[in-house]
Amino acid sequence: MNPVNYLYLSALLFTIGATGVLIRRNAIVVFMCIELMLNACNLAFVTFSRMHGNLDGQVIAFFTMVVAAAEVVVGLAIIVSLFRSRHSASVDDASLMKL
Amino acid sequence: MSFPLLTATAALPALGAVATAAVPAARRTAAKWLALFVSLATLALGIVVLVRFDPGGDRYQLTESHAWIADFGVRYELGVDGIAVALIALTALLIPFIILAGWHDADPLETGNKRWRPTQGFFALILAVEAMVIISFEATDVFLFYIFFEAMLIPMYFLIGGFGDSAHEHGDEAAATQRSYAAVKFLLYNLVGGLIMLAAVIGLYVVAGNFSLAEIAQARANGSLHMATNTERWLFLGFFFAFAVKAPLWPLHTWLPNAMGEATAPVAVLITAVVDKVGTFAMLRFCLQLFPEASKWATPVILVLALISIIYGALLAVGQRDIKRLVAYASISHFGFIVLGIFAMTSQGQSGATLYMVNHGISTAALMLVAGFLISRRGSRLIADYGGVQKVAPVLAGTFLIGSLATLSLPGLAPFVSEFLVLVGTFTRYPAIGIIATFGIVLAALYTLVLYQRTMTGPVKPEVAAMPDLRPRELLVVAPLIVLLIFLGVYPKPVTDIVNPAVKQTMSDVHKKDPKPSVEAAK
Amino acid sequence: MENLIALLVAAPLLGAVVLLCGGRRLDAVGHWIGTALSSASFVIGVVLFTDLLGKNAEHRTLMQHLWTWVPVEGFQADVTFRLDQLSMTFVLLITGVGSLIHLYSVGYMEHDERRRRFFGYLNLFLAAMLILVLADNYLLLYVGWEGVGLASYLLIGFWQHKPSAATAAKKAFLVNRVGDMGLSIAIMLMFTTFGTFAFGPVLSHVGDASEGKLTGIALMLLLAACGKSAQVPLQSWLGDAMEGPTPVSALIHAATMVTAGVYLIVRSGAIFNAAPDAQLVVTVVGAVTLLFGAIVGCAKDDIKKALAGSTMSQIGYMVLAAGLGPIGYVFAIMHLVTHGFFKAGLFLGAGSVMHGMNDEVDMRKYGGLRKYMPVTFITFGLGYLAIIGFPGLSGFFSKDKIIEAAFAKGGTEGWILGGAALLGAAITAFYMTRVMLMTFFGEKRWQPDENGHEPHPHESPRTMTIPMIVLAFGSVFAGGIFGIGDRFLHWLEPITGHEEGNSPVSALTVTLATMVVLVVGVGIAWAQYGRRPVPAVAPRGSLLTRAARRDLLQDDFNHVVLVRGGEHLTRSLVYVDHTLVDGVVNGTAASMGGLSGRLRKLQNGYARSYAVSMFGGAAILVAATLLMRAV
């Protein structure tokens, strides 16, 4: 199969993720959409690795996974503590980052 | 390697500042004595520099040179010429008087708070300023100079904003707002100047490849470093702008009256007598040496600005109602004379300008410190609140009069010699400008004598009737300054001997010769 | 002998330092220290004088170099003193009259708690005045020039608690500063022309310089002289200066300091000789002032202000003579010296009258005082006869010579100047007779003051009368000693030079004419103030009288043009500085603040709107990259 099709899939997944980040309010869903974007990138990396015949893309995919795992740890902790203090997981309720 | 005398002169007050700041809160008096002792020791070192300096010797003496940031050609290079030596001596001389005059200015109002240490901070900041000013005078590396030229803003900012007239300390919110406005204004003006200078410093590096004043000046002189006319002009303007803000030259002057008005009298002296001198000094050392052609190109405009400063500053001084702001505007007028002398490009003008820096430092210190003593007694800066002080405090009035007379350049007192030299030096090349500047001496008489008349003479106002005369500590501050004013007025030779060779060098840097008299009458 | 010159200055300078820094401890003896040191200076002056007399005329210049003052590339000012016939004359006048007035002040200031300080200032004045006349270059002369200005400022304002005194002192200093400006410009011009400003080189090279430059220098020197010597248009301060204690008026504002302008012109004679246009201006200034002062003197009821007008007028004579060039230099100085005697005597007499009359100065409240103060009356009367030029007395010899010299100028100018001088002599006779009659003759007109104290006129103590008697001797005999056999002429000629003019009228005619106008002046005054009783309240008077009472409206002019105009100027400048110069900066700061306030609104706290801007930014970047590649 033509590897370019994987890139189309990757782009599609990234767009779905990005749209989710922008339009959904639930922090858990936003979070999952971010994961979707990261994995779309991973897919693109792996595809490029295959297309160019070297391992660089796969190495970077591993890096991304490590970063994503670390992010999950921190991100979920933030969401949980936010939910505890506000009884809501809506990102729009947490708008304290302004003057 | 010989003893690094110049480093020591700057390092001593810097270490003293750290030590003073570290004195525990309860030992306030110890901090004062420590600061005074350090400043006196610095004065001793300054005198050693003065003695070791050989007026007939090399241009830069007591030099030190170490690699610092090798990648960018930044070196730790120190050296002094006659002009720098004179100004270092002035700085070292004035700081002990400033400390002594401000002895009680930073006493905390509430002694209950054990961790609050304004006194330590006040004296530490003064010493920090002294260290930075001295090293600015000594630096022969443009980058090194720039760092300390800018860094001294930080302690000055806290000195202006943090310590006002004791009269205004008592919970007066409006006064506190005024003070922080003045401090921020001071900082912003000088930062903008410094920023533009930074661009020019970087530009200079791009063109010249290093920061060494001596190397660049030499390369320019022997033609191995060629600067395009426009490049030179832009770089000159970048440097000059920063110095003109600091000096301050019209129309960049408005920060000075605010800063001097709101700061305590000793800090006001620190601003005008010490810190501002770095600006005029740097014009002589950096603008003229590095960019001689551009300096000549800009001369007409600068002379006109200086002339405006002289007349405008004096006229505004006449119109002031606040004693300290009056002195500030008088200083603007005097800085106009200094810049006029520098850019008239004659030996008399430049020697006069350098002498003027020294004399203005002493005379303003005398006038402003006595004014500070006066203000602290009555708790008001307004001229209209005084009257008849002469009757109740004759010594205070007498010293105030001598300070005023020095400000109006009475012959026999030091400022006369320098003012006359500047006028003569200007007149030989630009007669019209010289004549207009001479009007400044009439206006100077007007604002000083009106000030004296309104505060010291006339019927005694009830509010000043119980005013005590000068205390011994205060007399100890003023008397030596007055003696110095008289001494340098009748015998300025010690200073001119040191300054003259450096001026001769600068004159040859800019390829200018004094105009010849039309009749050769002098033998 | 040269080494004594510095001592002349050092003695009073020491006195000033000791008395002003000495503190209350010296209150009891301060006045005697001051008097002793000024007398010491006089004694040294006499010693030097006898030494000079023993030398040949051409060796009578002594120089003493003390130290190099301002050594700068191409600019050399030394502290060097020059004692020649001209400065010797001044030294004797200054220290002699000065010492007498010190003595007089011991009595006059007896009840003043600040007497020590007064003597300190007097000594300071003597030192500065001696520096002025002994200086060997114009810059050092400038030191003395402003030094006497300072002393004058301090002494006019000695009773500082009176606002009028403080204002008068300030005014005197400021008007003098305008003159000083002229002196500094003159020195600068000399420096650019000659490369030096020492007397010797400048005056001997005058011939090499262009006439334009010399005229400039001369006019600037004249401006300086106008300020110091109260000549039109800078005369307005002298009348107000009478706020000072009377000994000050006698010493500074009559005998010595105000004559410094004449000294300056005569000393710079070589420059003026080579600048005829400037000389013409000098004579015009002198002639105008001699009439101006005389007219003002006629209208004043304040005895000191009447005398001040007279001083102005008499100095006008001297300036007129000095403007005539070598014909007049010697007579200018001669009149200066005799005037020093009789005017100081007149002022001391006036002071003595005030001393006896509870410091009343209004002559309309005097009258008939000759019975109460015989010594004052006689000494004042001798001074009066001297000033109006009564034959045989001092003023006769000196003033007559000036009028002769004015005619000798020749041509129309000569007639105009001579006529003005004659007219001045008539007015002098009038106003001095008026002063004399109002003060010492007629009925007593004094009244109890509001507290019910009636003045008890009495003769002054010995310390005051002795100086008056000595000065009266000078007023009577000095002119004869100087004039007969042209002694003074021969003494000064080597310095100032001398020429005989060719007068269209003979000396005898001039003398006779002077006598006639003298009699006319005295006669009119007698008709007005001697035959009829003097009203205690001044009548309204003619337009001229009212203008003259207000110093011919010059103060009003100054007030409207300079004071008001200056106030408006400074006030509007303060406004401009605050709103415009500062406003530009503050405006920039404010607009920056406004801009950042708007930008702040983008920071709304919603994570999703930040995400939109991130995605938007990324999209723009990608698009830009693709676009760049495509192009």
Side-chain angles (χ1 to χ4, degrees), chain B residues 11 18 21 56 141 194 210 220 226 232 253 261 282 305 326 396 417 445:
Chain B
V18 174
D141 184 284
N210 67 59
R220 295 224 57 194
H226 179 72
E232 187 184 342
H253 64 277
L305 289 181
L326 190 153
L396 194 156
V417 177

Side-chain angles (χ1 to χ4, degrees), chain B residues 174-187:
Chain B
T177 318
Q178 280 282 313
R179 209 160 66 219
S180 82
Y181 171 72
V184 169
K185 198 171 180 183
F186 162 81
L187 192 67

Side-chain angles (χ1 to χ4, degrees), chain C residues 113-128:
Chain C
E113 53 177 354
R114 291 160 71 233
R115 179 162 66 163
R116 168 181 57 86
R117 192 179 284 247
F118 181 80
F119 277 83
Y121 292 159
L122 276 188
N123 272 0
L124 179 67
F125 168 76
L126 282 190

Side-chain angles (χ1 to χ4, degrees), chain A residues 22 92 95 97-99, chain C residues 600 603-605 608 610 615:
Chain A
L22 291 182
D92 285 1
S95 62
M97 275 171 35
K98 63 173 181 186
L99 280 165
Chain C
R600 199 177 67 176
Q603 186 91 359
N604 56 12
R608 291 186 306 143
Y610 299 161
F615 282 123

